[in-house]
Amino acid sequence: MRKGTTFTRFIIEDLRKLPEATGDFTLLLNTIVTACKEIADDVSRGQLINVLGSADTENVQGETQKKLDVISNEILIKALEWSGHVGAMASEEMEEVYPIPTKFPKGKYLLVFDPLDGSSNTEVNVSIGTIFSILRCPSGISIPTEQDFLQPGASQVCAGYVLYGPATNLVLSTGQGVNGFTLDRDIGEFILTHPNLTIPEKTSEFAINMSNQRHWEPAVKRYIDEVVEGKEGPRGRDFNTRWVASMVAEVHRILMRGGIFLYPRDSRENVKEGRLRLLYEANPMSFIIEQAGGAASTGRERILSVKPHRLHQRIPVVIGAREEVERVERYHLSMDKES
């Protein structure tokens, strides 16, 4: 589809190709996008309307919530609970599944979201975003429970994110490639600006928190040592490093110009299983990355094949250029055999 197409038209024309489409999915996406426009407005006016800083509360993971975490979560809940398109919702900011109140109709989809990824960056005006994932509610389930959300990432119907930066970008995949849109604030509509996004197989850019180096597994240390050695090392070329501490921003950069992002597990007690959340961050971003021609791995297996066993499960993440992700996997498998 050509550049300049509105998001609404894009989705409608895309789903016309599916004879079984009822329009519910289109309406669900439009509701999510409308809520994200409201979040974008709050983010852009943060200091002016006093929504920055700590909310003096903690989420289920024991992390201090920012005011915008709480506000963004509430915006999404209120926008979607009455819509009739979802059977239940799960958020990184809530301990349990959010059931649809009985006064509202229920839909056939389950919505999973991180309302404001990278919110610790709000006070320094660094790009942050909303990540979402849409699953089908299992057949015959009228009151979805946590178990119904524990589906492998490959089962996702749709995954997307909205990046709140110098521009507000929406990136989306329904399993037929990846497309990027930019919010035109004059008309209040997302416009297709990056059709058919693809990730180059080769890259010379990596993102990882180097301050954790002493805690990494040997395979990660080997990989990073090699790229840091540059032309003089076994890779034979120089690499640049980038680190934003916002997964939305890291993935967006990879989609725009290539690269690899690593948040591996390490020896620290709270990172032994990994740091990022499987349902709210790793699965939707892995779905997008794979649809753009990249790869997404725990370092040992494909992320989208992992069967979740709890709502707030954490997992190691290595995503981006296929060639680099596969190299990290080879190092892990080789060193696991040696140990």
Side-chain angles (χ1 to χ4, degrees):
M1 198 171 293
R2 68 181 186 278
K3 286 186 178 181
T5 302
T6 66
F7 173 75
T8 303
R9 178 174 177 177
F10 178 91
I11 290 299
I12 290 173
E13 292 191 356
D14 194 45
L15 291 177
R16 278 178 180 166
K17 303 170 187 175
L18 303 175
E20 69 276 16
T22 63
D24 287 348
F25 183 68
T26 302
L27 291 171
L28 171 56
L29 279 178
N30 271 320
T31 305
I32 294 170
V33 168
T34 298
C36 289
K37 291 176 189 176
E38 186 176 347
I39 296 171
D41 186 59
D42 283 351
V43 169
S44 66
R45 298 193 298 138
Q47 290 184 320
L48 301 176
I49 58 176
N50 193 32
V51 295
L52 299 186
S54 172
D56 297 322
T57 57
E58 291 184 347
N59 63 16
V60 63
Q61 291 86 24
E63 300 163 335
T64 299
Q65 291 178 304
K66 299 296 183 180
K67 292 178 183 177
L68 274 171
D69 282 320
V70 178
I71 291 169
S72 301
N73 192 72
E74 190 72 9
I75 287 172
L76 284 160
I77 292 291
K78 294 303 179 187
L80 287 149
E81 66 176 358
W82 64 271
S83 67
H85 306 313
V86 292
M89 293 178 269
S91 165
E92 183 180 305
E93 300 301 327
M94 299 186 297
E95 183 173 0
E96 299 177 345
V97 167
Y98 182 86
I100 301 303
T102 54
K103 62 182 177 180
F104 299 130
K106 292 184 177 69
K108 59 185 178 182
Y109 296 103
L110 303 176
L111 179 65
V112 178
F113 58 86
D114 179 352
L116 204 62
D117 178 73
S119 59
S120 61
N121 287 321
T122 54
E123 292 163 56
V124 292
N125 203 28
V126 172
S127 296
I128 54 180
T130 298
I131 307 172
F132 61 90
S133 167
I134 299 173
L135 302 163
R136 285 187 178 86
C137 186
S139 178
I141 300 296
S142 58
I143 303 177
T145 64
E146 176 176 333
Q147 190 62 39
D148 299 310
F149 283 82
L150 303 183
Q151 304 178 31
S155 298
Q156 292 173 102
V157 177
C158 171
Y161 66 81
V162 177
L163 175 73
Y164 312 115
T168 298
N169 295 114
L170 164 67
V171 173
L172 186 82
S173 177
T174 58
Q176 304 294 325
V178 180
N179 291 280
F181 305 79
T182 302
L183 180 61
D184 184 335
R185 293 184 180 273
D186 288 339
I187 63 172
E189 178 66 280
F190 279 99
I191 305 298
L192 181 63
T193 50
H194 298 84
N196 302 315
L197 286 166
T198 56
I199 300 170
E201 287 192 13
K202 290 182 176 291
T203 185
S204 296
E205 195 164 275
F206 70 97
I208 193 170
N209 187 345
M210 295 292 287
S211 68
N212 296 327
Q213 188 168 9
R214 66 192 183 280
H215 304 295
W216 293 339
E217 292 183 288
V220 177
K221 288 182 179 178
R222 176 185 172 184
Y223 176 77
I224 297 300
D225 284 346
E226 289 181 356
V227 297
V228 169
E229 287 176 24
K231 287 182 179 178
E232 292 74 28
R235 302 302 303 276
R237 68 179 190 273
D238 290 332
F239 283 73
N240 290 322
T241 183
R242 298 288 185 268
W243 181 252
V244 184
S246 165
M247 192 181 190
V248 169
E250 304 286 3
V251 169
H252 195 70
R253 185 182 60 248
I254 290 171
L255 287 169
M256 293 299 112
R257 67 186 195 200
I260 181 174
F261 166 80
L262 305 92
Y263 209 130
R265 76 182 193 187
D266 62 42
S267 61
R268 291 172 294 169
E269 189 62 36
N270 64 339
V271 196
K272 283 184 177 179
E273 290 186 349
R275 182 67 178 169
L276 300 176
R277 287 78 173 179
L278 175 58
L279 292 180
Y280 309 107
E281 297 165 313
N283 271 346
M285 291 310 203
S286 297
F287 189 83
I288 291 168
I289 289 290
E290 283 198 5
Q291 285 293 316
S297 173
T298 65
R300 293 173 169 84
E301 63 178 320
R302 181 189 182 213
I303 288 175
L304 294 183
S305 296
V306 175
K307 176 68 169 72
H309 54 79
R310 65 179 186 275
L311 205 58
H312 295 282
Q313 180 178 341
R314 297 177 187 261
I315 196 170
V317 171
V318 182
I319 58 176
R322 180 171 296 279
E323 184 179 279
E324 299 303 311
V325 173
E326 290 176 349
R327 179 180 289 269
V328 175
E329 279 191 331
R330 289 198 303 273
Y331 289 177
H332 272 293
L333 296 174
S334 173
M335 292 185 173
D336 286 349
K337 289 179 181 178
E338 295 173 4
S339 62

